[in-house]
Amino acid sequence: MAGKSLTQGTPWKVILSFMFPIFAGLLLQQLYNTVDTIVVGNFAGESPLAAVGACGVLTMAFLALANGFSAGACVLIARHFGAGEEKEMRAQASSALLLMLGMGMIATAAGIFISRFALKYILATPDSLLSMADTYFKIYAAGLIFQFGYNIVAAILRGVGDSKATLYFLLVASAINVVLDIVLVYSCKMGVAGAAIATDVAQAASCAAAFFYMMKKYPVFRWKWNAFTFEWALAKRALKSGFPMALQQFIVSIGFVFIQRAVNSYGEAMTASFTVAQKVETYMILPANALMTTQGTYTGQNIGAGRTDRVITGAKHTVILSEIISICILIVAFIFAEPIVTAFGLETEAIGYCTAHVRCVAICLIPFASYFPLLGLFQGANDALYSTFVATSALAGRVASTYILQEFPAISYHMIWWNAIFGWGLGCVLTWTHFLRGKWSRKIKNSNEIVR
């Protein structure tokens, strides 16, 4: 079978090599929405920028489903690949692919249907922003099927050790998104609608490129239209494997509903500030996120190959890499916070909020970077439910601290960003306690049952 094995070589070197393309791909994927934010903020104004930001929780919720269930399929593919089971891998990939495309169609319809209701009654979007936010999200939701399609193909490729290919797809898609943003928002004056259309077209391009590459490069995945097979038992395995990861990310996105409501209560300047700060925060946590994804594939392949001795060593190496990278990000973000947020076209009040927010998150990266990659270990070792528990607890800590401590006049709106230290600190304690106690390792001997 073609692909890259993560079961040989020095763990930290293998992990770092595999992680870089994933990180670059995540970076380019984030550029979709960031370019929307910069172009809208500079060429349409702060109100349209806040409207796009008001949709952030909804986009996160649907991304959670696409990323989570795809990650579950990736673990299954990785185990089959590590065990050399080509026939089983092909059948699992086909079933997972068709399942995700079906889910993408449902997500597209659901997103369009719930848009205005969710924005108005769940997120409490200000009336001045509601119409623009609804327009943006309805158009954005039309492209969700491409997002689901791309994510599952990317997951299949990661499962066989190919983390570089998706980088090239996203590079092309990002270029398309930048050009269309400028044309539609700046030249054609289409505002938030233009930004959403640009994102949809870019997602469709990356999805098409991923399908073409997978079928051309890997004969095992070279299905003809009548050769696709859908086995419900295999689809259920993909759902079972991906459910904890999808639930984990979905809970986080839903939890941000409550934080977004708190943000909206402080007015448009805070909403615009939070929109930009969330974008910057996403970039700062990307390395840890990429290492978490890498650790899931690394663990899955090594378990499939019977190389469980490499799992703990790889986990320790991953955490060290995560901390080194995050400390570098902390220094850069703390020094250049104000110039970074100014580039988004914020006004003076919002710049002050956003600069403080970014610097706070930079400090909070230290506990986050120490535990988040280990969640990938738990996922690859068939202990993904604990990852969900950690994510839920960390989010609960952020939400609870926001609503409780903002009532103190001396703290007030500062909890919009300082909630991270409470949530990520709790996540760090829970994760390391579980890791050191070793309960997760007892599930390794049973982990292959999910692919039988």
Side-chain angles (χ1 to χ4, degrees):
M1 289 184 290
K4 179 180 179 180
S5 174
L6 305 182
T7 60
Q8 304 294 330
T10 306
W12 74 265
K13 292 182 179 179
V14 172
I15 290 167
L16 195 61
S17 174
F18 191 76
M19 168 265 190
F20 270 127
I22 294 177
F23 167 72
L26 290 172
L27 186 64
L28 288 172
Q29 209 165 26
Q30 286 303 319
L31 280 175
Y32 288 169
N33 290 330
T34 302
V35 169
D36 289 346
T37 304
I38 293 175
V39 173
V40 171
N42 282 279
F43 299 134
E46 189 168 279
S47 291
L49 171 63
V52 172
C55 300
V57 172
L58 291 179
T59 59
M60 284 175 60
F62 284 100
L63 270 173
L65 298 177
N67 290 336
F69 284 111
S70 294
C74 176
V75 169
L76 297 178
I77 298 298
R79 290 182 188 170
H80 285 308
F81 180 80
E85 299 168 344
E86 182 173 322
K87 181 180 178 181
E88 292 83 354
M89 183 177 71
R90 175 182 169 89
Q92 182 66 70
S94 177
S95 297
L97 183 62
L98 294 175
L99 173 69
M100 288 296 292
L101 287 175
M103 292 177 65
M105 294 176 65
I106 295 171
T108 291
I112 294 172
F113 180 74
I114 69 169
S115 176
R116 192 173 188 87
F117 176 86
L119 287 166
K120 183 174 182 178
Y121 296 105
I122 298 177
L123 294 175
T125 303
D127 290 339
S128 60
L129 304 177
L130 183 59
S131 181
M132 286 187 291
D134 182 49
T135 297
Y136 178 85
F137 189 73
K138 275 187 166 69
I139 298 173
Y140 173 88
L144 284 172
I145 185 172
F146 302 118
Q147 199 168 87
F148 275 71
Y150 167 77
N151 273 275
I152 185 58
V153 175
I156 292 170
L157 293 174
R158 286 198 306 271
V160 298
D162 190 344
S163 61
K164 294 181 180 179
T166 54
L167 172 61
Y168 307 130
F169 314 147
L170 290 170
L171 183 61
V172 173
S174 295
I176 293 172
N177 191 54
V178 170
V179 172
L180 286 179
D181 261 326
I182 294 172
V183 170
L184 298 178
V185 178
Y186 176 66
S187 299
C188 299
K189 309 298 181 184
M190 294 180 65
V192 296
I197 291 171
T199 299
D200 286 351
V201 174
Q203 287 175 345
S206 63
C207 180
F211 268 92
F212 178 79
Y213 172 86
M214 180 179 69
M215 293 189 175
K216 184 176 179 62
K217 176 76 179 287
Y218 297 94
V220 68
F221 300 134
R222 196 173 295 159
W223 300 283
K224 295 181 179 179
W225 290 113
N226 60 353
F228 278 103
T229 58
F230 182 81
E231 299 180 37
W232 179 238
L234 297 181
K236 284 174 65 177
R237 288 172 186 164
L239 289 171
K240 181 179 179 181
S241 177
F243 176 76
M245 297 175 230
L247 181 62
Q248 170 185 325
Q249 296 184 44
F250 188 75
I251 288 173
V252 170
S253 64
I254 294 301
F256 269 94
V257 169
F258 299 100
I259 296 178
Q260 186 72 57
R261 287 179 67 94
V263 169
N264 292 344
S265 70
Y266 289 107
E268 286 191 21
M270 182 64 78
T271 301
S273 165
F274 187 74
T275 298
V276 173
Q278 282 292 98
K279 300 295 182 188
V280 178
E281 177 182 322
T282 300
Y283 281 101
M284 288 193 288
I285 67 174
L286 278 183
N289 203 337
L291 285 167
M292 186 270 288
T293 300
T294 298
Q295 189 62 37
T297 304
Y298 173 88
T299 302
Q301 280 199 15
N302 279 280
I303 289 175
R307 297 296 308 275
T308 55
D309 57 301
R310 291 170 55 84
V311 172
I312 295 180
T313 301
K316 293 177 180 178
H317 288 187
T318 301
V319 171
I320 293 172
L321 289 171
S322 180
E323 285 290 1
I324 292 172
I325 296 170
S326 295
I327 288 172
C328 294
I329 293 173
L330 185 160
I331 295 170
V332 172
F334 206 88
I335 294 173
F336 297 103
E338 187 169 348
I340 290 171
V341 303
T342 301
F344 287 82
L346 295 174
E347 296 179 3
T348 304
E349 182 182 5
I351 288 174
Y353 293 146
C354 199
T355 301
H357 190 154
V358 170
R359 286 175 174 161
C360 171
V361 171
I363 294 171
C364 298
L365 277 179
I366 301 303
F368 180 82
S370 74
Y371 86 87
F372 199 72
L374 290 179
L375 301 186
L377 167 69
F378 300 154
Q379 292 166 1
N382 197 28
D383 195 16
L385 280 175
Y386 193 82
S387 295
T388 304
F389 168 70
V390 171
T392 303
S393 299
L395 181 64
R398 295 189 71 170
V399 173
S401 62
T402 299
Y403 278 88
I404 294 172
L405 297 180
Q406 72 174 347
E407 297 300 321
F408 292 87
I411 299 175
S412 185
Y413 61 81
H414 293 91
M415 280 312 301
I416 297 299
W417 44 86
W418 278 109
N419 63 51
I421 195 66
F422 292 92
W424 292 349
L426 178 58
C428 183
V429 171
L430 292 174
T431 299
W432 276 98
T433 299
H434 191 63
F435 177 74
L436 294 174
R437 291 179 68 185
K439 285 188 176 182
W440 60 273
S441 62
R442 301 171 195 171
K443 296 192 177 184
I444 289 181
K445 61 182 179 181
N446 299 320
S447 64
N448 285 323
E449 291 180 0
I450 196 170
V451 297
R452 292 174 184 167

